[in-house]
Amino acid sequence: MARNKYPEETINQILTVSLHLFVQKGYEQTSIQDIINGLGGLTKGALYHHFKSKEEIMQAVIEHLFKDVDEMLSGIRDDNELSGLEKLQKISRVSLGNPAQDEMASVAPNLLRNPKLLAAQIEHMIEKAVPVYIQPIIEQGMRDGSIRTDYPRELSEVLLVLTNLWLNPAVIQTSPEMMLRKVRLFDDILKGLGLDLFDEHMFQRYEELFRLSAREVNSEN
């Protein structure tokens, strides 16, 4: 790849290639040369013009990865037309419908073998997504009567920990059938807490993602 005269485009290409490599090979197993090879012509000097180290690239990848998530969550949180429960339902639909979910599922990363990516996801979830986005939505639901709970912080953590870790095939790999059973159990648990978040279309979407992930894992074995 010829050196791009538009720095932002070059940086975005570096981040896209780096994320793909970090997910496929793992952060520790990915070298700067691997990233350069994936960019098809960018020199090492040009890469170091934008990033001083692989660690700095990783940090930029993480920030880039969560930027769209934060924008989506803040947009829904600040929508004055929706109740607290409706906001949670919309977050579930939008998250599952994101085309990036298909890409991640088809790559079938094992985040247990990518501790930096997994740790970054957990850190973002606990330190930002819960207190900045999900908890305020649940507290709004408590005020408007659409959500009944005495534990807004704890319920926020349960929602994100279960959806992002327990129901994430990149963390716990199992059969699509077993994962769908887990989703239906999760739905039962939430309904017991007064949260009706899932519909049949979302169950089908979960199953589709699980099958994409399982297909990729089987192709590697």
Side-chain angles (χ1 to χ4, degrees):
M1 180 185 73
R3 183 171 178 181
N4 199 317
K5 64 180 179 180
Y6 301 103
E8 286 188 9
E9 290 185 14
T10 302
I11 290 171
N12 285 336
Q13 288 173 320
I14 292 170
L15 296 182
T16 299
V17 168
S18 298
L19 173 60
H20 185 74
L21 287 168
F22 293 157
V23 166
Q24 276 203 323
K25 298 183 63 173
Y27 172 80
E28 299 295 343
Q29 288 70 40
T30 299
S31 67
I32 288 290
Q33 190 60 51
D34 289 332
I35 296 172
I36 291 169
N37 293 343
L39 289 165
L42 190 75
T43 66
K44 186 174 289 189
L47 184 144
Y48 280 120
H49 174 75
H50 297 289
F51 299 101
K52 296 183 177 67
S53 64
K54 188 173 73 167
E55 181 69 33
E56 192 171 294
I57 294 174
M58 180 64 168
Q59 188 57 44
V61 163
I62 290 168
E63 291 173 3
H64 183 72
L65 198 57
F66 293 127
K67 179 182 177 184
D68 289 343
V69 173
D70 289 342
E71 289 177 352
M72 179 272 286
L73 290 174
S74 64
I76 295 174
R77 179 198 59 193
D78 299 337
D79 186 343
N80 294 325
E81 300 298 317
L82 300 177
S83 69
L85 178 58
E86 288 169 337
K87 289 180 180 181
L88 290 182
Q89 291 169 334
K90 186 172 181 179
I91 287 171
S92 298
R93 290 195 305 271
V94 172
S95 297
L96 282 176
N98 187 345
Q101 293 279 10
D102 287 343
E103 183 179 353
M104 288 296 287
S106 63
V107 173
N110 186 331
L111 290 182
L112 295 180
R113 297 175 186 169
N114 285 272
K116 279 187 175 288
L117 281 176
L118 181 58
Q121 181 175 343
I122 293 172
E123 182 180 19
H124 177 268
M125 183 171 59
I126 298 301
E127 296 187 3
K128 191 168 186 181
V130 164
V132 177
Y133 304 116
I134 305 303
Q135 186 174 341
I137 289 174
I138 289 178
E139 289 171 346
Q140 178 203 329
M142 294 167 66
R143 293 191 299 271
D144 66 33
S146 63
I147 297 173
R148 298 180 61 184
T149 182
D150 295 324
Y151 307 99
R153 171 74 189 203
E154 294 77 8
L155 181 55
S156 303
E157 290 181 358
V158 165
L159 282 172
L160 291 193
V161 167
L162 290 183
T163 54
N164 288 285
L165 299 178
W166 189 59
L167 293 179
N168 187 346
V171 178
I172 302 175
Q173 296 179 350
T174 186
S175 70
E177 291 77 17
M178 182 59 70
M179 289 300 286
L180 189 58
R181 285 175 59 85
K182 291 168 69 171
V183 174
R184 292 193 180 276
L185 172 60
F186 184 47
D187 181 50
D188 285 347
I189 292 171
L190 292 182
K191 284 177 177 172
L193 297 172
L195 294 178
D196 191 359
L197 298 187
F198 298 126
D199 56 28
E200 198 59 35
H201 174 75
M202 293 173 67
F203 288 132
Q204 292 171 3
R205 176 63 176 150
Y206 262 113
E207 187 172 17
E208 179 182 330
L209 291 173
F210 298 149
R211 291 193 183 283
L212 276 173
S213 177
R215 187 181 308 134
E216 184 64 24
V217 169
N218 291 336
S219 71
E220 293 176 356
N221 295 334

